[in-house]
Amino acid sequence: LSPDLPKTLLPPMLFTEHHESHAASAFYPSPFEESAVLTIDGLGDGLSATISAFGLASLMRRLTSISSLSTS
């Protein structure tokens, strides 16, 4: 972004957790009102997998996660 761009033209920015972003990008454009979303990826953020639930209020709730730092 140009430093000359007036700050009033910039939309607010929201930073989310890595797996939360993956889950939201799968659910929100979908046609479903409720859903469970499984995310699986590598080692970058300390988690390898998450399971999240989206309800009628479209709010996400993480049900469980698997750490990539686990020794098992």
Side-chain angles (χ1 to χ4, degrees):
L1 291 174
S2 169
D4 299 327
L5 186 64
K7 300 226 183 291
T8 56
L9 296 178
L10 297 175
M13 296 182 77
L14 174 66
F15 293 92
T16 61
E17 189 269 337
H18 179 82
H19 286 268
E20 189 176 84
S21 296
H22 283 307
S25 68
F27 172 72
Y28 288 116
S30 79
F32 304 107
E33 292 183 3
E34 297 179 293
S35 184
V37 178
L38 170 66
T39 64
I40 301 173
D41 66 13
L43 307 172
D45 67 347
L47 293 177
S48 289
T50 64
I51 298 175
S52 302
F54 289 84
L56 292 175
S58 295
L59 299 175
M60 186 189 93
R61 182 169 50 105
R62 180 174 293 165
L63 302 176
T64 192
S65 61
I66 298 171
S67 171
S68 60
L69 305 176
S70 174
T71 57
S72 56

